[in-house]
Amino acid sequence: MIAAGILAALFALLLAGVPVAFALIALGGALLALGGFSPLMVPQGLLSTVDNFVLLAVPLFLLMSNVLLKGGVGRDLFAAVQAWVGHWPGGLAVATILSCGLFAAISGSSVATAATIGTVAIPEMTARGYPRRFVLGLLAAGGTLGILIPPSIPMIVYGFITEESVLALFLAGIGPGLLLIVLFCGFAMVYARFAADYRRSEKASWAERKRASLRALPSAALALVIIVGIYRGAFTPTEAAAIGLALSLLITAGLLRTLSWADLADAVFEAMVTTVTILLIVAGAKVFGKAITLYRIPQDISAFIIDTVSVPALFVLAVAAVLVVMGLFLEALSMMLIMVPVLAPSILPMGLDPIWFGVFFVIMVECALITPPVGLNLYVIQAVGHARLGEVAAGVWPFLALMLATIAICYLVPSVVLYIPFHL
Amino acid sequence: AETTLRITLQLPLKSHLGQNLLLFKDKVETASNGDIEVQIFDSAQLYKDKEVPQAVGSGAIEMGVASLTRYVGDIPAVDIFYMPFLFNTEELVREATAPDSPVRKPLDEAIMGTGARVLWWQAYGSVILLSNGGAIKTPADMKDKKVRVFGKTLGKWVEAAGGVPTLISGSEQYLAYQRGTVDIGMTGMSGVKSRRLWEVMDTVTVTNNADIEFIVVVNEEFWQSLPEAHREIIATAAREAEIAVRDAMAEIEADAYKDAEANGMTVYKLTPEEVEAWKAAAQPVFDSYLSDAGALGKEVYEAAQGLGKGN
Amino acid sequence: MTAWLDRLSTWLARVAAWLFLATGAMLTYEVVARYLFNAPTVWAEELSRLLLVWGTYLAAAALVRRREHIRITLVTDRLEAGPRRWLEGVSLAVVAAGCAVAVWYGTPIAVDSFLRGRSTGTMLDIPNWWSEAAIPVGCGLVVLQCLAEIARLLRGAPAGGEARSDMAGPT
Ligand code: NA
Ligand code: NA
């Protein structure tokens, strides 16, 4: 009863347009005061959340991907991939997906991935006669690879909330990320086979391939350095982010000479904006989380779940259903911050691996990013592709289905998720 | 219930510290006929270990469990329990941590100055080293190796022994060992078991170079506001819980060693000569402790020197 | 007065942005020091956390001015200008109230640490109030900025504050 009231109050604040971070802080503070608990927990929660080495990876990965973005790396990657696979049936679509996957390996954000690749791929694909809805849906969905393939900001946040290893989460995202790329590419090729009115790209010449590949090589190498560095344990995720940032500056400002001083200032400022908005939501969620913990709400929900749901599959299904519905209306990261603390106490008793659950949750966040009416990737592609929200939303359904299918596969074959971190 | 005691704990309820809190809860609630209710918030739902001193001292929460050495920023002398090889046998630890011990008592009194009363100490066991392909018998085996540490004093010890201290959080330990981010691990023996570290390290060197203690603290202002009868009940339960966990610790560690060996780990015990070599290399740590920890540090250090003389 | 506050918060946000870049430099140095010289620093990890805390809270007010904080505009986008301004005023008041709590209870925490001379007790062992002060200072700026925004709305300014920079998104 109390839980329903709190949820209603939260939704009212959010829909009234109160910024998510402050809605959580204000409601958390009010709950503490009403429950006779100490409001000292407000400043304590705000400080302890941000005073954290794991979350330091957030600004660093954002800086890295912004620097690369301003340095035109997205365009270079897309050109290189297109030179190799563009002439296949559905080749341009495949090139787009692969570029999303590649950019995902240097960016921790779905929105950045969608915006970067979308800017270059949407005009190209529509010019080649690909149906608009398909193009927009593909980019919105392809962008979400940004948070499944490491690095990933939601994974950092999940690791922060659950005290699980961010490194393990990163490695666990690789398998499902590759699976999703394969499914997306397969769908695109089948789609192209049956779609009548698009023109194939010409096969690129060897000279062109060489030129494009050479230009994209440093960035691709950067992606490799980061993944291998993380995989080999050379550095922690936060350090990987710092090294990645240093190398990205070296590549764009030094090697390619595509980053001006003004570009850098822009990149730094934009990364700051995103960082602050994210970290304040995480901090707000911490305050709110403390308040509902003192009301024993997560504990009661967890006890209820464990009493009523006996089969893990049912639990996963129920959580997925709830998250799909919440994901329609809630901003994706907020959804994770509100729901993970509530669900976390049930994960182990349900016999689920916390790392597996983290990857599952990230895929659900990806879904939330592309479902209307509230879905950041939809908004980004809408802006980048000069389209209506409805057009983008109409194009994402097949990809959404593939993402849910990926979850089913990961449930049935957990090694897709867990083999790389723990057995490779 | 008339009174609610909320306790924050960093570890999960199933850890031995969590189980010890359950024992306390049970005793208090029974003895008070339900007048006192104890609520345990485990797994850092409310506060991480490092926040507990401030949270309890300020009265944001009534009670909490913190590792003793968390108080080092306020009371540098608490690091006496991390002084290399100072309390490296169970007898020395028991003597040092007894409620009236000249080592513990002044520390409890100093902690009172932060606004928190120490109710009881929870034994957590000794620090050991983990490695692959051979034990870390002497400082020579640590030379230029990257060693996982938690906290300043252990870092200084590693440095004094010629190693390279590297801060790795508890949750990143497994992968840091598996991937070789550090060469030598450092943890308590119960951590080896709960994190299944035998999957990634093959040797335990029983250094017992430091003693890990947790303390259960209650906000002093809140404590003084309680009726005398309630304080009595709580203090009695606290004492019982303290004895229980101290007695259980030896068994918990013995079990952890057994499990480690059953899972293929080699357990190496230092010889007296090797311990002497370690101690000799550790002198700089003592020097800097004595210069940083003030009069209180000197007092408990001298008291520690007097232990184990069989008086 | 409000113009002066805008300039201050914008300037602080710029500082914050470069502080984040500085953390990148520190941690890069840390990795290099550890691998090349086998000598990790004692300061990189803690100083970079300190910069993260200050950067985040110093920039919060400017983002209120620019309406950059993530919010759900599903409902407000569909409102007429009048009700929209009204709702925005209420929303800013909620932000101010939440931050006022943080200022009220956060100030004694920092002051107490300062008076007691409490320090982190970690490798670097810096005073606790260095980081604790960021909450009352940053949240205090947010309260002031909210009041300035509400004053603007009362004087008839349209909802939406200063134009947003772009669509940088969080996830
Ligand atoms: Na990524
Ligand atoms: Na959505």
Side-chain angles (χ1 to χ4, degrees):
Chain A
M1 213 26 242
I2 295 178
I6 293 174
L7 199 65
L10 181 62
F11 262 78
L13 285 176
L14 292 179
L15 290 178
V18 179
V20 179
F22 299 99
L24 290 165
I25 294 171
L27 186 55
L31 288 173
L32 288 172
L34 289 174
F37 307 110
S38 170
L40 278 169
M41 291 194 184
V42 176
Q44 284 167 346
L46 293 182
L47 175 63
S48 71
T49 304
V50 182
D51 187 9
N52 184 286
F53 192 64
V54 171
L55 290 183
L56 198 52
V58 171
L60 298 178
F61 277 127
L62 285 169
L63 277 163
M64 174 177 103
S65 86
N66 270 3
V67 163
L68 291 169
L69 200 74
K70 300 281 173 198
V73 161
R75 199 178 47 233
D76 294 346
L77 280 178
F78 181 70
V81 177
Q82 199 201 342
W84 289 95
V85 303
H87 62 285
W88 295 0
L92 201 51
V94 171
T96 301
I97 296 162
L98 293 181
S99 304
C100 285
L102 262 178
F103 194 77
I106 44 184
S107 160
S109 136
S110 279
V111 170
T113 309
T116 311
I117 305 301
T119 312
V120 281
I122 292 175
E124 188 87 7
M125 286 183 77
T126 33
R128 289 275 162 193
Y130 280 86
R132 223 172 132 67
R133 277 183 182 180
F134 172 77
V135 173
L136 298 169
L138 176 77
L139 262 308
T144 67
L145 286 169
I147 59 171
L148 187 55
I149 293 175
S152 160
I153 284 167
M155 282 181 183
I156 297 169
V157 171
Y158 180 89
F160 167 77
I161 308 172
T162 58
E163 294 263 311
E164 291 297 330
S165 162
V166 173
L167 205 60
L169 286 162
F170 276 9
L171 296 171
I174 297 175
L178 294 177
L179 175 64
L180 206 50
I181 290 179
V182 169
L183 290 178
F184 282 0
C185 286
F187 172 72
M189 289 169 86
V190 171
Y191 184 91
R193 185 95 177 70
F194 293 103
D197 47 355
Y198 90 95
R199 288 175 297 114
R200 274 198 193 188
S201 308
E202 306 77 25
K203 197 168 171 174
S205 70
W206 283 103
E208 236 173 279
R209 285 181 176 176
K210 192 179 157 200
R211 192 196 53 77
S213 303
L214 270 180
R215 204 166 163 76
L217 195 65
S219 320
L222 172 61
L224 204 67
V225 165
I226 291 173
I227 294 216
V228 172
I230 289 174
Y231 172 73
R232 296 290 303 271
F235 20 75
T236 66
T238 306
E239 290 170 351
I243 293 286
L245 170 59
L247 291 177
S248 66
L249 282 168
L250 216 64
I251 290 171
T252 52
L255 205 60
L256 302 175
R257 298 193 175 279
T258 46
L259 188 79
S260 69
W261 184 249
D263 289 337
L264 176 66
D266 280 355
V268 168
F269 193 84
E270 281 165 27
M272 178 278 294
V273 169
T274 315
T275 301
V276 173
T277 55
I278 291 177
L279 292 189
L280 285 179
I281 294 181
V282 180
K286 183 78 187 176
V287 172
F288 179 71
K290 283 188 190 214
I292 60 171
T293 300
L294 285 163
Y295 281 77
R296 303 202 75 84
I297 289 171
Q299 298 92 319
D300 291 349
I301 290 180
S302 164
F304 173 78
I305 291 174
I306 292 162
D307 283 349
T308 41
V309 188
S310 47
V311 196
L314 215 61
F315 171 72
V316 171
L317 206 63
V319 172
V322 169
L323 294 183
V324 164
V325 175
M326 287 191 89
L328 298 178
F329 304 102
L330 267 189
E331 190 276 314
L333 189 68
S334 322
M335 178 176 95
M336 172 177 261
L337 284 160
I338 294 167
M339 290 306 287
V340 168
V342 175
L343 294 172
S346 315
I347 300 173
L348 280 177
M350 276 289 147
L352 294 169
D353 184 291
I355 299 292
W356 182 91
F357 193 81
V359 170
F360 157 74
F361 212 106
V362 167
I363 302 177
M364 293 311 302
V365 166
E366 289 184 76
C367 294
L369 283 166
I370 58 170
T371 49
V374 179
L376 268 179
N377 269 28
L378 297 179
Y379 300 158
V380 171
I381 293 303
Q382 174 194 15
V384 170
H386 308 291
R388 284 177 301 105
L389 189 67
E391 273 183 293
V392 192
V396 297
W397 299 113
F399 299 98
L400 196 65
L402 290 175
M403 284 151 77
L404 294 174
T406 302
I407 289 180
I409 295 172
C410 289
Y411 183 78
L412 296 171
V413 193
S415 344
V416 172
V417 178
L418 299 175
Y419 186 79
I420 296 181
F422 296 117
H423 301 286
L424 197 64
Chain B
E2 273 173 56
T3 304
T4 308
L5 289 179
R6 300 181 192 87
I7 313 180
T8 174
L9 170 71
Q10 153 110 5
L11 296 168
L13 206 54
K14 67 174 201 293
S15 67
H16 77 266
L17 300 192
Q19 294 299 310
N20 189 236
L21 290 185
L22 279 179
L23 177 83
F24 169 79
K25 171 184 164 79
D26 188 46
K27 294 210 180 283
V28 168
E29 289 180 348
T30 312
S32 68
N33 285 318
D35 282 351
I36 309 176
E37 188 194 349
V38 178
Q39 293 185 358
I40 303 168
F41 296 91
D42 64 308
S43 304
Q45 294 170 66
L46 290 182
Y47 292 103
K48 294 194 175 179
D49 190 57
K50 74 168 187 176
E51 303 172 70
V52 173
Q54 205 271 330
V56 176
S58 65
I61 188 161
E62 290 85 14
M63 284 177 67
V65 180
S67 50
L68 173 69
T69 51
R70 275 299 172 204
Y71 279 88
V72 68
D74 240 312
I75 305 156
V78 294
D79 259 356
I80 191 76
F81 282 88
Y82 278 1
M83 284 300 110
F85 303 91
L86 191 57
F87 307 113
N88 62 346
T89 65
E90 196 194 332
E91 295 68 46
L92 285 171
V93 168
R94 277 183 177 272
E95 249 187 277
T97 59
D100 286 329
S101 121
V103 179
R104 165 172 165 181
K105 211 168 173 215
L107 295 179
D108 282 358
E109 281 161 9
I111 288 167
M112 186 77 91
T114 69
R117 169 181 293 266
V118 178
L119 281 179
W120 80 95
W121 284 38
Q122 290 184 315
Y124 193 80
S126 295
V127 174
I128 50 94
L129 296 180
L130 301 172
S131 51
N132 272 317
I136 311 299
K137 298 178 184 174
T138 61
D141 295 326
M142 193 181 266
K143 183 120 187 63
D144 291 336
K145 297 265 175 63
K146 293 187 195 71
V147 187
R148 185 244 169 168
V149 299
F150 41 100
K152 179 169 72 168
T153 303
L154 293 171
K156 279 187 182 161
W157 170 59
V158 166
E159 254 170 8
V164 181
T166 308
L167 276 171
I168 303 276
S169 71
S171 56
E172 297 290 353
Q173 246 188 120
Y174 184 97
L175 284 176
Y177 298 161
Q178 184 195 32
R179 314 266 162 184
T181 310
V182 291
D183 311 298
I184 299 175
M186 184 190 290
T187 182
M189 202 53 213
S190 59
V192 175
K193 187 176 171 181
S194 63
R195 294 186 189 276
R196 306 181 62 78
L197 295 178
W198 47 68
E199 293 173 357
V200 289
M201 287 294 206
D202 66 15
T203 308
V204 182
T205 307
V206 189
T207 48
N208 293 345
N209 56 290
D211 173 46
I212 308 174
E213 296 290 334
F214 280 77
I215 54 175
V216 186
V217 284
V218 60
N219 179 265
E220 176 63 9
E221 220 170 291
F222 169 78
W223 175 258
Q224 293 302 342
S225 76
L226 291 176
E228 179 63 39
H230 284 184
R231 277 187 264 169
E232 194 108 338
I233 290 170
I234 295 169
T236 309
R239 186 67 196 127
E240 287 170 354
E242 169 152 2
I243 294 167
V245 70
R246 185 72 55 195
D247 288 343
M249 199 58 234
E251 205 172 316
I252 292 167
E253 279 196 328
D255 278 352
Y257 279 117
K258 228 181 285 166
D259 282 335
E261 284 182 316
N263 283 282
M265 279 188 126
T266 308
V267 175
Y268 181 82
K269 291 202 173 66
L270 298 178
T271 65
E273 295 74 45
E274 285 162 351
V275 172
E276 285 314 309
W278 280 110
K279 280 185 176 169
Q283 194 50 46
V285 188
F286 286 92
D287 295 343
S288 88
Y289 173 82
L290 286 172
S291 76
D292 293 349
L296 182 60
K298 198 161 183 300
E299 178 189 345
V300 295
Y301 175 74
E302 277 163 9
Q305 296 291 317
L307 299 181
K309 302 282 191 291
N311 45 350
Chain C
M1 184 63 200
T2 50
W4 186 82
L5 188 65
D6 288 351
R7 271 205 298 280
L8 175 68
S9 56
T10 307
W11 183 78
L12 289 175
R14 288 219 184 86
V15 171
W18 292 99
L19 289 184
F20 291 160
L21 190 69
T23 65
M26 288 179 184
L27 293 176
T28 306
Y29 179 80
E30 165 78 12
V31 177
V32 172
R34 194 167 74 223
Y35 280 93
L36 264 48
F37 316 131
N38 217 9
T41 71
V42 295
W43 49 266
E45 194 249 345
E46 286 185 71
L47 267 193
S48 53
R49 274 194 287 123
L50 185 66
L51 295 195
L52 185 68
V53 169
W54 275 99
T56 302
Y57 286 99
L58 283 183
L63 303 201
V64 168
R65 172 81 194 114
R66 297 160 61 100
R67 303 294 192 273
E68 300 262 20
H69 289 293
I70 296 163
R71 58 202 175 123
I72 295 169
T73 53
L74 193 64
V75 174
T76 52
D77 279 352
R78 285 167 174 70
L79 294 178
E80 299 284 319
R84 196 164 155 189
R85 275 179 54 217
W86 190 83
L87 204 54
E88 186 160 281
V90 172
S91 151
L92 285 162
V94 172
V95 176
C99 287
V101 174
V103 175
W104 185 257
Y105 289 94
T107 309
I109 293 179
V111 169
D112 185 52
S113 289
F114 175 75
L115 294 177
R116 284 192 56 89
R118 195 176 269 142
S119 67
T120 55
T122 44
M123 299 266 205
L124 195 59
D125 207 22
I126 52 179
N128 277 358
W129 67 268
W130 285 15
S131 55
E132 287 165 348
I135 304 299
V137 170
C139 292
L141 282 165
V142 171
V143 173
L144 292 180
Q145 191 74 52
C146 286
L147 295 179
E149 298 304 306
I150 291 172
R152 280 196 185 99
L153 289 172
L154 289 175
R155 288 199 301 258
E162 201 176 74
R164 318 169 41 141
S165 64
D166 69 341
M167 14 136 261
T171 48

